[in-house]
């Protein structure tokens, strides 16, 4: 058993992508288990920062890698880094056991393209993160995400809540 207290958080970014109707993009994780179908295996685009990468640049890269979206105007940044811890059964397993969870800098962006731009296929050598997507309300987000990420999602909603209007 790996002691999570001795492990760092993985530096990460996330994007709350809003369409013109104020709905949020979520993707269904392609690596979900069968019991996870249509339950809590949805999330907003997010991913790890590359060494030396600035958070906004990383957020733009992750958004493009996971969704194909490049037509996005970034409009807000979270006040501070948000963290979550992995459940004990994933510590020592996820990310080759190097991290206890993630520290994330979140950004809000407005999608300014056509929905045909959204492409969940492999981008820039990365395997697809999602195999389905949809637009949801901010209110729906917490129920869609795995429980250990809900506190972060609630904070993102609190910080970016007025942008959905």
């Amino acid at each position: 058993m790996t002691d999570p207290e001795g492990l760092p958080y993985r530096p990460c970014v996330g994007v709350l992508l809003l369409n013109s109707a104020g709905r949020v993009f979520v993707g269904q994780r392609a690596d979900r288990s069968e019991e996870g179908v249509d339950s809590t295996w949805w999330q907003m685009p997010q991913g790890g920062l590359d060494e030396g990468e600035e958070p906004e640049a990383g957020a733009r890269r992750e958004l493009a890698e996971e969704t194909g979206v490049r037509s996005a105007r970034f409009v807000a940044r979270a006040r501070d880094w948000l963290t979550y811890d992995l459940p004990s059964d994933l510590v020592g397993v996820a990310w080759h056991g190097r991290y206890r969870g993630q520290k994330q800098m979140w950004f809000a962006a407005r999608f300014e393209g056509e929905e045909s731009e959204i492409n969940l296929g492999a981008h820039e050598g990365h395997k697809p993160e999602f195999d389905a997507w949809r637009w949801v309300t901010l209110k729906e987000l917490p129920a869609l995400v795995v429980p250990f990420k809900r506190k972060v999602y609630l904070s993102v909603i609190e910080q970016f809540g007025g942008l959905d209007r």
Side-chain angles (χ1 to χ4, degrees):
M1 182 79 182
T2 304
D3 177 17
E5 296 299 316
L7 296 173
Y9 286 104
R10 177 179 180 241
C12 182
V13 290
V15 180
L16 181 139
L17 183 67
L18 293 157
N19 69 9
S20 61
R23 291 184 168 261
V24 179
F25 176 96
V26 291
Q28 188 173 49
R29 292 185 57 98
D31 63 355
R32 70 190 181 281
S33 62
E34 280 305 309
E35 67 271 8
V37 174
D38 289 325
S39 62
T40 61
W41 287 81
W42 295 85
Q43 67 181 41
M44 293 182 281
Q46 64 176 63
L49 281 170
D50 292 338
E51 187 71 34
E53 187 175 38
E54 289 296 317
E56 186 174 328
R60 290 178 184 279
R61 177 186 51 75
E62 284 293 335
L63 182 63
E65 286 175 3
E66 295 185 2
T67 69
V69 169
R70 295 187 185 280
S71 302
R73 179 172 44 93
F74 279 56
V75 296
R77 176 183 175 139
R79 291 184 295 271
D80 205 352
W81 294 88
L82 303 173
T83 60
Y84 72 80
D85 291 323
L86 289 169
S88 59
D89 61 318
L90 292 179
V91 175
V93 178
W95 307 301
H96 307 288
R98 296 184 315 201
Y99 303 103
R100 67 188 288 178
Q102 294 193 92
K103 72 174 189 174
Q104 301 177 316
M105 178 53 66
W106 281 88
F107 295 86
R110 296 216 180 267
F111 179 52
E112 297 182 331
E114 299 295 323
E115 285 192 359
S116 59
E117 180 179 345
I118 298 171
N119 176 353
L120 303 182
H123 297 280
E124 296 152 36
H126 293 273
K127 68 180 183 171
E129 181 86 17
F130 306 126
D131 60 12
W133 67 274
R134 62 185 174 162
W135 298 104
V136 301
T137 64
L138 282 174
K139 187 177 179 181
E140 292 173 275
L141 278 174
L144 296 172
V145 68
V146 292
F148 60 89
K149 292 183 182 180
R150 282 195 186 129
K151 183 177 159 201
V152 166
Y153 272 52
L154 289 168
S155 183
V156 169
I157 291 166
E158 181 265 321
Q159 291 187 51
F160 299 144
L163 297 174
D164 63 333
R165 295 176 185 80

